[in-house]
Amino acid sequence: MTAAIGVIAAVFVWPQSWLLIREDGELRYVYPAHDGTSFALRWTHSVERENWIERFRLDNGHIVLVSTRFKTFGAGVPAHAGKRTTLENGWVVMSDIDRVVDPLAVQAAAAENYSLRYDGVWHTLGRPAEAPILTFAYARAPLYRVLPTLIANRRDSRGTG
C-alpha cells in the first residue's frame, strides 16, 4: 500500500514534458508532449484573406518551425524560407525551415480564425471580440501544476475540423 501511494505521489510531482499555452501569464491550454511531437497553427491572413498554416515540432526542449504553407504571395509573405519551396495543390509550401521559435507568441485574433491542430484535431484559439496574445512553450512541469488546465481542456475540447 505504501509503495502504491508513493508511485501515485511521484506521478503527480515528477516533472513531465508539456506544450504549455499561456494567456497573460496564466495557463490556457496544456497538451502532453515529447521530442518529436508536432502541431500546427492555422489562421486567415489579414490582408490576403487566405488560410495560412505553419507546422511546428518539439525538439530538444524547443519549439521549431518546420514548414509554412499559404495560397498567395502578397503583404507580409516571405520570398523564401527553408531549404525547399514547392507548389502543392494550389498551396505554396516552404519546408525544411527548422528554425527555433521558442517561446512562440501569437496574437490569436478571432477575426483571423486562429486554430491549433494537435493530435489530429483542430482547436479554436481566438475568442469573439478579443485578440489574446498566446505564448507557446515546451516545458517540464509536475502534473499537479497543469491538472486543472488539463481538466478544463477536456471540458472545452472544441474540434473545429
Side-chain angles (χ1 to χ4, degrees), residues 1-6:
M1 183 63 137
T2 303
I5 291 171

Side-chain angles (χ1 to χ4, degrees), residues 34-105:
H34 54 80
D35 275 358
T37 295
S38 64
F39 66 95
L41 292 175
R42 175 179 66 195
W43 69 94
T44 303
H45 191 278
S46 61
V47 175
E48 300 299 322
R49 306 309 306 161
E50 293 281 355
N51 280 336
W52 188 297
I53 300 172
E54 290 186 331
R55 286 187 331 109
F56 300 87
R57 180 183 68 247
L58 303 178
D59 186 29
N60 199 25
H62 299 287
I63 298 173
V64 177
L65 175 61
V66 175
S67 67
T68 186
R69 65 176 46 223
F70 46 88
K71 294 269 185 163
T72 59
F73 276 102
V77 178
H80 60 81
K83 297 175 186 157
R84 198 169 62 138
T85 301
T86 57
L87 185 60
E88 299 174 17
N89 298 319
W91 290 83
V92 175
V93 179
M94 296 178 181
S95 55
D96 297 325
I97 297 172
D98 298 327
R99 185 176 72 217
V100 173
V101 290
D102 193 8
L104 170 64

